[in-house]
Short mmCIF file of all heavy atoms in Angstrom, two decimals:
data_model
loop_
_atom_site.label_atom_id
_atom_site.label_comp_id
_atom_site.label_asym_id
_atom_site.label_seq_id
_atom_site.Cartn_x
_atom_site.Cartn_y
_atom_site.Cartn_z
N MET A 255 -11.70 -4.12 10.29
CA MET A 255 -11.28 -3.42 9.07
C MET A 255 -9.77 -3.26 9.10
O MET A 255 -9.22 -2.85 10.10
CB MET A 255 -11.97 -2.04 9.04
CG MET A 255 -11.92 -1.42 7.69
SD MET A 255 -12.99 -0.01 7.36
CE MET A 255 -13.73 0.48 8.89
N PRO A 256 -9.12 -3.64 8.00
CA PRO A 256 -7.65 -3.59 8.01
C PRO A 256 -7.11 -2.16 7.91
O PRO A 256 -7.77 -1.26 7.41
CB PRO A 256 -7.24 -4.39 6.78
CG PRO A 256 -8.45 -4.41 5.91
CD PRO A 256 -9.65 -4.24 6.79
N THR A 257 -5.91 -2.00 8.41
CA THR A 257 -5.20 -0.74 8.21
C THR A 257 -4.21 -0.94 7.06
O THR A 257 -3.70 -2.04 6.84
CB THR A 257 -4.43 -0.30 9.47
OG1 THR A 257 -3.58 -1.34 9.89
CG2 THR A 257 -5.37 0.09 10.59
N TYR A 258 -3.97 0.14 6.37
CA TYR A 258 -3.09 0.10 5.20
C TYR A 258 -1.99 1.14 5.32
O TYR A 258 -2.13 2.11 6.06
CB TYR A 258 -3.89 0.37 3.91
CG TYR A 258 -4.86 -0.71 3.54
CD1 TYR A 258 -6.14 -0.71 4.09
CD2 TYR A 258 -4.52 -1.71 2.65
CE1 TYR A 258 -7.05 -1.70 3.76
CE2 TYR A 258 -5.42 -2.71 2.31
CZ TYR A 258 -6.68 -2.70 2.87
OH TYR A 258 -7.58 -3.69 2.55
N CYS A 259 -0.92 0.90 4.58
CA CYS A 259 0.13 1.91 4.47
C CYS A 259 0.56 1.97 3.01
O CYS A 259 0.26 1.07 2.22
CB CYS A 259 1.32 1.57 5.36
SG CYS A 259 2.33 0.20 4.75
N VAL A 260 1.24 3.05 2.67
CA VAL A 260 1.83 3.15 1.34
C VAL A 260 3.32 3.37 1.52
O VAL A 260 3.75 4.08 2.46
CB VAL A 260 1.17 4.26 0.50
CG1 VAL A 260 1.30 5.64 1.13
CG2 VAL A 260 1.73 4.28 -0.92
N ASN A 261 4.11 2.76 0.66
CA ASN A 261 5.56 2.89 0.72
C ASN A 261 5.95 4.29 0.26
O ASN A 261 5.55 4.74 -0.82
CB ASN A 261 6.21 1.84 -0.19
CG ASN A 261 7.69 1.70 0.05
OD1 ASN A 261 8.36 2.63 0.51
ND2 ASN A 261 8.22 0.54 -0.28
N LYS A 262 6.70 5.01 1.09
CA LYS A 262 7.15 6.36 0.73
C LYS A 262 8.13 6.31 -0.45
O LYS A 262 8.29 7.29 -1.16
CB LYS A 262 7.84 7.03 1.93
CG LYS A 262 6.89 7.32 3.08
CD LYS A 262 7.66 7.95 4.24
CE LYS A 262 6.74 8.22 5.42
NZ LYS A 262 7.49 8.72 6.59
N ASN A 263 8.79 5.18 -0.62
CA ASN A 263 9.74 5.02 -1.73
C ASN A 263 9.04 4.36 -2.91
O ASN A 263 8.35 3.35 -2.75
CB ASN A 263 10.92 4.15 -1.29
CG ASN A 263 11.77 4.82 -0.24
OD1 ASN A 263 11.89 6.03 -0.22
ND2 ASN A 263 12.32 4.03 0.66
N ALA A 264 9.23 4.91 -4.09
CA ALA A 264 8.65 4.34 -5.29
C ALA A 264 9.41 3.09 -5.70
O ALA A 264 10.62 2.97 -5.46
CB ALA A 264 8.66 5.35 -6.41
N GLN A 265 8.70 2.17 -6.35
CA GLN A 265 9.35 1.02 -6.97
C GLN A 265 10.09 1.51 -8.22
O GLN A 265 9.95 2.66 -8.64
CB GLN A 265 8.29 -0.02 -7.37
CG GLN A 265 7.39 -0.45 -6.23
CD GLN A 265 8.16 -1.04 -5.08
OE1 GLN A 265 8.85 -2.03 -5.24
NE2 GLN A 265 8.08 -0.43 -3.91
N SER A 266 10.81 0.60 -8.86
CA SER A 266 11.58 0.99 -10.04
C SER A 266 10.68 1.50 -11.16
O SER A 266 11.10 2.28 -12.00
CB SER A 266 12.41 -0.20 -10.52
OG SER A 266 11.59 -1.31 -10.76
N ASN A 267 9.42 1.07 -11.17
CA ASN A 267 8.49 1.53 -12.22
C ASN A 267 7.75 2.81 -11.81
O ASN A 267 6.85 3.26 -12.52
CB ASN A 267 7.49 0.42 -12.57
CG ASN A 267 6.58 0.07 -11.40
OD1 ASN A 267 6.68 0.65 -10.33
ND2 ASN A 267 5.69 -0.87 -11.61
N GLY A 268 8.10 3.36 -10.65
CA GLY A 268 7.49 4.61 -10.20
C GLY A 268 6.27 4.44 -9.31
O GLY A 268 5.76 5.42 -8.78
N ASP A 269 5.79 3.21 -9.14
CA ASP A 269 4.63 2.97 -8.29
C ASP A 269 4.99 3.03 -6.81
O ASP A 269 6.05 2.53 -6.40
CB ASP A 269 4.05 1.58 -8.56
CG ASP A 269 3.26 1.50 -9.85
OD1 ASP A 269 3.01 2.56 -10.46
OD2 ASP A 269 2.89 0.37 -10.23
N HIS A 270 4.07 3.60 -6.04
CA HIS A 270 4.17 3.51 -4.59
C HIS A 270 3.22 2.40 -4.16
O HIS A 270 2.00 2.51 -4.36
CB HIS A 270 3.78 4.84 -3.93
CG HIS A 270 4.79 5.92 -4.16
ND1 HIS A 270 5.73 6.26 -3.20
CD2 HIS A 270 5.03 6.72 -5.22
CE1 HIS A 270 6.49 7.24 -3.68
NE2 HIS A 270 6.10 7.54 -4.90
N GLU A 271 3.74 1.35 -3.59
CA GLU A 271 2.92 0.19 -3.27
C GLU A 271 2.11 0.39 -1.99
O GLU A 271 2.63 0.83 -0.97
CB GLU A 271 3.81 -1.05 -3.09
CG GLU A 271 4.30 -1.63 -4.41
CD GLU A 271 5.00 -2.96 -4.21
OE1 GLU A 271 5.77 -3.09 -3.26
OE2 GLU A 271 4.75 -3.86 -5.04
N VAL A 272 0.84 0.01 -2.07
CA VAL A 272 -0.06 0.04 -0.91
C VAL A 272 -0.10 -1.36 -0.31
O VAL A 272 -0.24 -2.35 -1.03
CB VAL A 272 -1.47 0.49 -1.34
CG1 VAL A 272 -2.47 0.35 -0.20
CG2 VAL A 272 -1.42 1.94 -1.85
N HIS A 273 0.04 -1.43 1.03
CA HIS A 273 0.08 -2.71 1.72
C HIS A 273 -0.97 -2.80 2.82
O HIS A 273 -1.29 -1.81 3.46
CB HIS A 273 1.46 -2.92 2.38
CG HIS A 273 2.59 -2.98 1.41
ND1 HIS A 273 3.00 -4.14 0.82
CD2 HIS A 273 3.39 -2.01 0.93
CE1 HIS A 273 4.03 -3.89 0.01
NE2 HIS A 273 4.28 -2.60 0.06
N ASP A 274 -1.46 -4.03 3.02
CA ASP A 274 -2.36 -4.36 4.11
C ASP A 274 -1.49 -4.67 5.34
O ASP A 274 -0.63 -5.56 5.29
CB ASP A 274 -3.16 -5.60 3.70
CG ASP A 274 -4.18 -6.01 4.75
OD1 ASP A 274 -4.07 -5.58 5.91
OD2 ASP A 274 -5.07 -6.81 4.38
N LEU A 275 -1.73 -3.92 6.43
CA LEU A 275 -0.90 -4.08 7.63
C LEU A 275 -1.44 -5.15 8.58
O LEU A 275 -0.88 -5.34 9.66
CB LEU A 275 -0.78 -2.74 8.37
CG LEU A 275 0.10 -1.70 7.66
CD1 LEU A 275 0.01 -0.36 8.39
CD2 LEU A 275 1.55 -2.15 7.60
N THR A 276 -2.51 -5.83 8.20
CA THR A 276 -3.00 -6.93 9.03
C THR A 276 -1.86 -7.91 9.28
O THR A 276 -1.15 -8.28 8.34
CB THR A 276 -4.16 -7.66 8.32
OG1 THR A 276 -5.19 -6.73 8.04
CG2 THR A 276 -4.69 -8.79 9.19
N PHE A 277 -1.72 -8.33 10.52
CA PHE A 277 -0.61 -9.21 10.86
C PHE A 277 -0.63 -10.46 9.98
O PHE A 277 -1.65 -11.14 9.88
CB PHE A 277 -0.66 -9.61 12.34
CG PHE A 277 0.49 -10.47 12.75
CD1 PHE A 277 1.73 -9.91 13.01
CD2 PHE A 277 0.35 -11.84 12.85
CE1 PHE A 277 2.80 -10.70 13.38
CE2 PHE A 277 1.42 -12.64 13.23
CZ PHE A 277 2.65 -12.06 13.48
N GLY A 278 0.47 -10.71 9.32
CA GLY A 278 0.58 -11.90 8.50
C GLY A 278 0.07 -11.74 7.08
O GLY A 278 0.22 -12.65 6.26
N ALA A 279 -0.52 -10.58 6.75
CA ALA A 279 -1.10 -10.41 5.41
C ALA A 279 -0.02 -10.26 4.35
O ALA A 279 -0.21 -10.65 3.20
CB ALA A 279 -2.03 -9.20 5.39
N CYS A 280 1.11 -9.67 4.74
CA CYS A 280 2.12 -9.36 3.74
C CYS A 280 3.50 -9.54 4.32
O CYS A 280 3.78 -9.08 5.42
CB CYS A 280 1.95 -7.92 3.27
SG CYS A 280 3.03 -7.49 1.88
N ASN A 281 4.38 -10.22 3.59
CA ASN A 281 5.77 -10.29 4.06
C ASN A 281 6.69 -9.49 3.15
O ASN A 281 7.89 -9.73 3.11
CB ASN A 281 6.23 -11.73 4.27
CG ASN A 281 5.94 -12.61 3.08
OD1 ASN A 281 5.95 -12.12 1.95
ND2 ASN A 281 5.69 -13.88 3.31
N ARG A 282 6.12 -8.53 2.44
CA ARG A 282 6.92 -7.62 1.64
C ARG A 282 6.71 -6.17 2.10
O ARG A 282 6.83 -5.24 1.29
CB ARG A 282 6.55 -7.74 0.16
CG ARG A 282 6.95 -9.10 -0.43
CD ARG A 282 6.38 -9.28 -1.82
NE ARG A 282 6.75 -8.19 -2.71
CZ ARG A 282 7.85 -8.16 -3.45
NH1 ARG A 282 8.69 -9.15 -3.39
NH2 ARG A 282 8.10 -7.16 -4.24
N LEU A 283 6.40 -6.00 3.36
CA LEU A 283 6.16 -4.65 3.88
C LEU A 283 7.43 -3.82 3.84
O LEU A 283 8.52 -4.32 4.08
CB LEU A 283 5.67 -4.73 5.34
CG LEU A 283 4.28 -5.34 5.56
CD1 LEU A 283 4.01 -5.46 7.06
CD2 LEU A 283 3.21 -4.50 4.89
N PRO A 284 7.27 -2.51 3.57
CA PRO A 284 8.44 -1.63 3.64
C PRO A 284 8.90 -1.47 5.09
O PRO A 284 8.15 -1.76 6.03
CB PRO A 284 7.92 -0.30 3.08
CG PRO A 284 6.44 -0.37 3.15
CD PRO A 284 6.05 -1.82 3.14
N ASP A 285 10.12 -1.01 5.26
CA ASP A 285 10.62 -0.72 6.60
C ASP A 285 9.71 0.32 7.27
O ASP A 285 9.11 1.15 6.59
CB ASP A 285 12.04 -0.17 6.53
CG ASP A 285 13.04 -1.22 6.07
OD1 ASP A 285 12.75 -2.42 6.23
OD2 ASP A 285 14.09 -0.81 5.56
N TYR A 286 9.66 0.29 8.59
CA TYR A 286 8.77 1.21 9.32
C TYR A 286 8.95 2.65 8.89
O TYR A 286 7.98 3.38 8.72
CB TYR A 286 9.02 1.09 10.83
CG TYR A 286 8.44 -0.16 11.43
CD1 TYR A 286 9.24 -1.26 11.71
CD2 TYR A 286 7.09 -0.22 11.73
CE1 TYR A 286 8.71 -2.41 12.25
CE2 TYR A 286 6.53 -1.38 12.28
CZ TYR A 286 7.35 -2.47 12.54
OH TYR A 286 6.81 -3.60 13.06
N GLY A 287 10.20 3.06 8.71
CA GLY A 287 10.47 4.44 8.36
C GLY A 287 9.99 4.84 6.98
O GLY A 287 9.91 6.03 6.68
N ASN A 288 9.68 3.84 6.16
CA ASN A 288 9.24 4.12 4.79
C ASN A 288 7.73 3.96 4.62
O ASN A 288 7.23 4.01 3.50
CB ASN A 288 9.95 3.19 3.81
CG ASN A 288 11.43 3.48 3.74
OD1 ASN A 288 11.86 4.61 3.95
ND2 ASN A 288 12.21 2.45 3.48
N ARG A 289 7.01 3.78 5.73
CA ARG A 289 5.56 3.57 5.64
C ARG A 289 4.81 4.86 5.94
O ARG A 289 5.04 5.48 6.98
CB ARG A 289 5.10 2.53 6.66
CG ARG A 289 5.70 1.18 6.46
CD ARG A 289 5.21 0.23 7.54
NE ARG A 289 5.99 -1.00 7.55
CZ ARG A 289 5.84 -1.97 8.45
NH1 ARG A 289 4.95 -1.84 9.42
NH2 ARG A 289 6.58 -3.04 8.38
N LEU A 290 3.93 5.24 5.04
CA LEU A 290 3.01 6.33 5.30
C LEU A 290 1.68 5.69 5.66
O LEU A 290 1.09 4.97 4.85
CB LEU A 290 2.85 7.24 4.07
CG LEU A 290 1.84 8.37 4.22
CD1 LEU A 290 2.31 9.39 5.26
CD2 LEU A 290 1.61 9.06 2.88
N ASP A 291 1.22 5.93 6.88
CA ASP A 291 0.00 5.30 7.38
C ASP A 291 -1.22 5.84 6.63
O ASP A 291 -1.38 7.05 6.49
CB ASP A 291 -0.12 5.57 8.87
CG ASP A 291 -1.28 4.83 9.50
OD1 ASP A 291 -1.69 3.79 8.96
OD2 ASP A 291 -1.77 5.30 10.55
N LEU A 292 -2.06 4.93 6.15
CA LEU A 292 -3.29 5.34 5.45
C LEU A 292 -4.53 5.15 6.31
O LEU A 292 -5.62 5.52 5.89
CB LEU A 292 -3.45 4.52 4.16
CG LEU A 292 -2.35 4.71 3.11
CD1 LEU A 292 -2.53 3.70 1.98
CD2 LEU A 292 -2.34 6.12 2.56
N GLY A 293 -4.37 4.57 7.48
CA GLY A 293 -5.50 4.36 8.38
C GLY A 293 -6.35 3.17 7.96
O GLY A 293 -5.94 2.34 7.14
N TYR A 294 -7.56 3.11 8.55
CA TYR A 294 -8.47 2.00 8.29
C TYR A 294 -9.20 2.18 6.96
O TYR A 294 -9.64 3.30 6.65
CB TYR A 294 -9.52 1.91 9.40
CG TYR A 294 -8.97 1.47 10.72
CD1 TYR A 294 -8.63 2.40 11.70
CD2 TYR A 294 -8.81 0.11 10.99
CE1 TYR A 294 -8.12 1.99 12.92
CE2 TYR A 294 -8.31 -0.31 12.21
CZ TYR A 294 -7.96 0.64 13.17
OH TYR A 294 -7.47 0.23 14.38
N HIS A 295 -9.32 1.09 6.23
CA HIS A 295 -10.09 1.12 4.99
C HIS A 295 -10.84 -0.20 4.85
O HIS A 295 -10.32 -1.25 5.22
CB HIS A 295 -9.18 1.31 3.77
CG HIS A 295 -8.64 2.71 3.68
ND1 HIS A 295 -9.33 3.74 3.10
CD2 HIS A 295 -7.48 3.24 4.15
CE1 HIS A 295 -8.60 4.85 3.20
NE2 HIS A 295 -7.49 4.59 3.83
N PRO A 296 -12.06 -0.14 4.28
CA PRO A 296 -12.83 -1.38 4.11
C PRO A 296 -12.23 -2.30 3.06
O PRO A 296 -12.48 -3.51 3.07
CB PRO A 296 -14.22 -0.88 3.70
CG PRO A 296 -13.99 0.47 3.12
CD PRO A 296 -12.80 1.03 3.86
N ASN A 297 -11.45 -1.74 2.13
CA ASN A 297 -10.86 -2.55 1.07
C ASN A 297 -9.67 -1.81 0.48
O ASN A 297 -9.43 -0.63 0.79
CB ASN A 297 -11.90 -2.86 -0.01
CG ASN A 297 -12.59 -1.60 -0.52
OD1 ASN A 297 -11.93 -0.63 -0.87
ND2 ASN A 297 -13.90 -1.60 -0.51
N CYS A 298 -8.92 -2.53 -0.35
CA CYS A 298 -7.71 -1.92 -0.89
C CYS A 298 -8.02 -0.81 -1.90
O CYS A 298 -7.23 0.13 -2.05
CB CYS A 298 -6.80 -2.98 -1.50
SG CYS A 298 -7.52 -3.93 -2.86
N GLN A 299 -9.16 -0.90 -2.59
CA GLN A 299 -9.51 0.16 -3.54
C GLN A 299 -9.58 1.51 -2.82
O GLN A 299 -9.10 2.53 -3.31
CB GLN A 299 -10.87 -0.12 -4.21
CG GLN A 299 -10.84 -1.20 -5.27
CD GLN A 299 -11.03 -2.60 -4.71
OE1 GLN A 299 -11.07 -2.80 -3.50
NE2 GLN A 299 -11.13 -3.58 -5.59
N SER A 300 -10.19 1.50 -1.65
CA SER A 300 -10.31 2.72 -0.86
C SER A 300 -8.94 3.18 -0.38
O SER A 300 -8.63 4.39 -0.41
CB SER A 300 -11.25 2.45 0.33
OG SER A 300 -11.24 3.53 1.23
N ALA A 301 -8.11 2.24 0.04
CA ALA A 301 -6.77 2.59 0.51
C ALA A 301 -5.92 3.20 -0.61
O ALA A 301 -5.19 4.16 -0.40
CB ALA A 301 -6.08 1.35 1.08
N VAL A 302 -6.04 2.63 -1.81
CA VAL A 302 -5.26 3.16 -2.94
C VAL A 302 -5.73 4.57 -3.30
O VAL A 302 -4.93 5.45 -3.59
CB VAL A 302 -5.35 2.21 -4.17
CG1 VAL A 302 -4.76 2.86 -5.41
CG2 VAL A 302 -4.60 0.91 -3.87
N ARG A 303 -7.05 4.80 -3.23
CA ARG A 303 -7.55 6.16 -3.49
C ARG A 303 -6.94 7.15 -2.50
O ARG A 303 -6.55 8.25 -2.86
CB ARG A 303 -9.08 6.21 -3.37
CG ARG A 303 -9.80 5.87 -4.65
CD ARG A 303 -11.24 6.37 -4.64
NE ARG A 303 -12.03 5.86 -3.52
CZ ARG A 303 -12.65 4.69 -3.53
NH1 ARG A 303 -12.60 3.91 -4.59
NH2 ARG A 303 -13.34 4.30 -2.48
N GLN A 304 -6.88 6.73 -1.23
CA GLN A 304 -6.28 7.60 -0.21
C GLN A 304 -4.80 7.83 -0.50
O GLN A 304 -4.29 8.95 -0.41
CB GLN A 304 -6.45 6.93 1.16
CG GLN A 304 -5.73 7.62 2.30
CD GLN A 304 -6.51 8.81 2.82
OE1 GLN A 304 -7.73 8.79 2.85
NE2 GLN A 304 -5.80 9.85 3.23
N ALA A 305 -4.09 6.78 -0.89
CA ALA A 305 -2.66 6.89 -1.17
C ALA A 305 -2.40 7.85 -2.32
O ALA A 305 -1.42 8.60 -2.32
CB ALA A 305 -2.08 5.51 -1.49
N LYS A 306 -3.32 7.85 -3.30
CA LYS A 306 -3.12 8.69 -4.48
C LYS A 306 -3.23 10.17 -4.19
O LYS A 306 -2.81 10.99 -5.01
CB LYS A 306 -4.11 8.27 -5.59
CG LYS A 306 -3.68 6.98 -6.26
CD LYS A 306 -4.62 6.60 -7.39
CE LYS A 306 -4.04 5.40 -8.14
NZ LYS A 306 -4.94 4.93 -9.20
N ILE A 307 -3.79 10.52 -3.03
CA ILE A 307 -3.81 11.93 -2.64
C ILE A 307 -2.37 12.41 -2.44
O ILE A 307 -2.02 13.53 -2.79
CB ILE A 307 -4.65 12.12 -1.35
CG1 ILE A 307 -6.11 11.78 -1.63
CG2 ILE A 307 -4.50 13.55 -0.82
CD1 ILE A 307 -6.98 11.74 -0.39
N THR A 308 -1.53 11.54 -1.91
CA THR A 308 -0.13 11.88 -1.67
C THR A 308 0.74 11.48 -2.86
O THR A 308 1.58 12.26 -3.31
CB THR A 308 0.39 11.17 -0.40
OG1 THR A 308 -0.47 11.50 0.68
CG2 THR A 308 1.82 11.61 -0.08
N TYR A 309 0.54 10.27 -3.35
CA TYR A 309 1.35 9.75 -4.46
C TYR A 309 0.39 9.36 -5.58
O TYR A 309 -0.29 8.33 -5.49
CB TYR A 309 2.14 8.52 -4.02
CG TYR A 309 3.06 8.77 -2.85
CD1 TYR A 309 2.85 8.13 -1.63
CD2 TYR A 309 4.14 9.64 -2.97
CE1 TYR A 309 3.69 8.35 -0.56
CE2 TYR A 309 4.99 9.86 -1.90
CZ TYR A 309 4.76 9.22 -0.70
OH TYR A 309 5.59 9.43 0.36
N TRP A 310 0.35 10.17 -6.64
CA TRP A 310 -0.65 9.93 -7.70
C TRP A 310 -0.43 8.56 -8.34
O TRP A 310 -1.36 7.94 -8.82
CB TRP A 310 -0.61 11.03 -8.75
CG TRP A 310 0.63 11.05 -9.59
CD1 TRP A 310 1.79 11.70 -9.32
CD2 TRP A 310 0.84 10.36 -10.83
NE1 TRP A 310 2.70 11.45 -10.31
CE2 TRP A 310 2.16 10.65 -11.25
CE3 TRP A 310 0.02 9.53 -11.62
CZ2 TRP A 310 2.69 10.12 -12.43
CZ3 TRP A 310 0.57 9.01 -12.80
CH2 TRP A 310 1.87 9.31 -13.19
N LYS A 311 0.82 8.08 -8.33
CA LYS A 311 1.11 6.79 -8.93
C LYS A 311 1.23 5.75 -7.81
O LYS A 311 2.32 5.36 -7.42
CB LYS A 311 2.40 6.90 -9.75
CG LYS A 311 2.58 5.80 -10.78
CD LYS A 311 3.64 6.22 -11.79
CE LYS A 311 4.27 5.09 -12.55
NZ LYS A 311 3.39 4.08 -13.09
N SER A 312 0.09 5.37 -7.26
CA SER A 312 0.05 4.34 -6.23
C SER A 312 -0.62 3.10 -6.79
O SER A 312 -1.48 3.20 -7.66
CB SER A 312 -0.75 4.84 -5.01
OG SER A 312 -0.11 5.93 -4.40
N ASN A 313 -0.23 1.94 -6.26
CA ASN A 313 -0.72 0.69 -6.79
C ASN A 313 -0.74 -0.33 -5.67
O ASN A 313 0.11 -0.30 -4.78
CB ASN A 313 0.21 0.22 -7.92
CG ASN A 313 -0.41 -0.83 -8.81
OD1 ASN A 313 -1.59 -1.19 -8.66
ND2 ASN A 313 0.37 -1.32 -9.74
N GLY A 314 -1.71 -1.24 -5.70
CA GLY A 314 -1.77 -2.27 -4.67
C GLY A 314 -0.60 -3.22 -4.78
O GLY A 314 -0.16 -3.56 -5.88
N CYS A 315 -0.09 -3.65 -3.64
CA CYS A 315 0.97 -4.67 -3.60
C CYS A 315 0.42 -5.96 -4.22
O CYS A 315 -0.67 -6.40 -3.90
CB CYS A 315 1.34 -4.88 -2.13
SG CYS A 315 2.35 -6.33 -1.80
N TRP A 316 1.21 -6.55 -5.11
CA TRP A 316 0.72 -7.76 -5.78
C TRP A 316 0.54 -8.90 -4.79
O TRP A 316 -0.23 -9.83 -5.01
CB TRP A 316 1.68 -8.18 -6.89
CG TRP A 316 3.04 -8.62 -6.41
CD1 TRP A 316 4.14 -7.82 -6.26
CD2 TRP A 316 3.42 -9.92 -5.98
NE1 TRP A 316 5.17 -8.55 -5.76
CE2 TRP A 316 4.78 -9.86 -5.58
CE3 TRP A 316 2.75 -11.16 -5.90
CZ2 TRP A 316 5.47 -10.96 -5.10
CZ3 TRP A 316 3.45 -12.25 -5.41
CH2 TRP A 316 4.78 -12.14 -5.02
N TYR A 317 1.24 -8.82 -3.66
CA TYR A 317 1.20 -9.93 -2.71
C TYR A 317 -0.01 -9.85 -1.76
O TYR A 317 -0.73 -10.82 -1.58
CB TYR A 317 2.50 -9.94 -1.90
CG TYR A 317 2.66 -11.15 -1.01
CD1 TYR A 317 3.12 -12.35 -1.54
CD2 TYR A 317 2.32 -11.09 0.33
CE1 TYR A 317 3.23 -13.47 -0.75
CE2 TYR A 317 2.43 -12.19 1.14
CZ TYR A 317 2.90 -13.39 0.61
OH TYR A 317 2.99 -14.49 1.39
N CYS A 318 -0.22 -8.66 -1.16
CA CYS A 318 -1.30 -8.55 -0.15
C CYS A 318 -2.53 -7.83 -0.68
O CYS A 318 -3.58 -7.90 -0.04
CB CYS A 318 -0.78 -7.88 1.12
SG CYS A 318 -0.27 -6.16 0.90
N CYS A 319 -2.42 -7.12 -1.80
CA CYS A 319 -3.56 -6.40 -2.38
C CYS A 319 -3.70 -6.74 -3.87
O CYS A 319 -3.75 -5.83 -4.71
CB CYS A 319 -3.40 -4.89 -2.21
SG CYS A 319 -3.22 -4.34 -0.51
N PRO A 320 -3.74 -8.03 -4.21
CA PRO A 320 -3.75 -8.40 -5.64
C PRO A 320 -4.95 -7.83 -6.39
O PRO A 320 -4.85 -7.56 -7.58
CB PRO A 320 -3.76 -9.94 -5.61
CG PRO A 320 -4.28 -10.29 -4.26
CD PRO A 320 -3.80 -9.21 -3.34
N ALA A 321 -6.07 -7.62 -5.68
CA ALA A 321 -7.27 -7.09 -6.34
C ALA A 321 -7.04 -5.65 -6.79
O ALA A 321 -7.77 -5.14 -7.64
CB ALA A 321 -8.47 -7.15 -5.40
N CYS A 322 -6.04 -4.99 -6.21
CA CYS A 322 -5.77 -3.59 -6.52
C CYS A 322 -4.46 -3.42 -7.28
O CYS A 322 -4.00 -2.30 -7.48
CB CYS A 322 -5.71 -2.76 -5.24
SG CYS A 322 -7.29 -2.70 -4.41
N ASN A 323 -3.86 -4.52 -7.68
CA ASN A 323 -2.60 -4.43 -8.42
C ASN A 323 -2.91 -4.38 -9.90
O ASN A 323 -3.51 -5.29 -10.46
CB ASN A 323 -1.71 -5.64 -8.10
CG ASN A 323 -0.38 -5.55 -8.82
OD1 ASN A 323 -0.31 -5.72 -10.02
ND2 ASN A 323 0.65 -5.26 -8.09
N THR A 324 -2.50 -3.30 -10.54
CA THR A 324 -2.77 -3.14 -11.96
C THR A 324 -1.51 -3.42 -12.78
O THR A 324 -1.42 -3.05 -13.93
CB THR A 324 -3.28 -1.73 -12.27
OG1 THR A 324 -2.33 -0.77 -11.79
CG2 THR A 324 -4.61 -1.49 -11.58
N GLY A 325 -0.52 -4.03 -12.15
CA GLY A 325 0.70 -4.37 -12.85
C GLY A 325 1.54 -3.13 -13.05
O GLY A 325 2.35 -3.04 -13.89
ZN1 LIG B 71 2.01 -6.01 0.52
#
């Protein structure tokens, strides 16, 4: 089961991007200091729900979580 993180810094549109931390899954990961660990999740939908507890405007990274990216 992959581990996920959410970027502590919002994108220009206000979204906090959720990323899959599986090695090689994403090459757009935030810097270590900007990652809030979300722990293990069976899928990105679950990870985004967890991220929204902290950042209501969270969204899947278009690169590693395209199924959870709502644009
Ligand atoms: Zn990503």
Side-chain angles (χ1 to χ4, degrees):
M255 196 166 8
T257 54
Y258 292 86
C259 73
V260 60
N261 193 334
K262 293 178 181 176
N263 294 328
Q265 306 301 300
S266 56
N267 65 0
D269 284 351
H270 290 261
E271 284 188 318
V272 172
H273 297 272
D274 182 343
L275 289 173
T276 303
F277 183 79
C280 187
N281 50 31
R282 293 171 55 88
L283 292 175
D285 291 337
Y286 285 101
N288 293 330
R289 298 178 193 176
L290 177 67
D291 186 26
L292 297 172
Y294 290 97
H295 287 276
N297 52 50
C298 60
Q299 285 87 353
S300 171
V302 170
R303 273 199 303 275
Q304 173 81 35
K306 284 182 173 177
I307 294 171
T308 305
Y309 302 115
W310 69 271
K311 199 163 159 45
S312 295
N313 197 4
C315 167
W316 66 268
Y317 188 82
C318 65
C319 302
C322 294
N323 182 288
T324 56

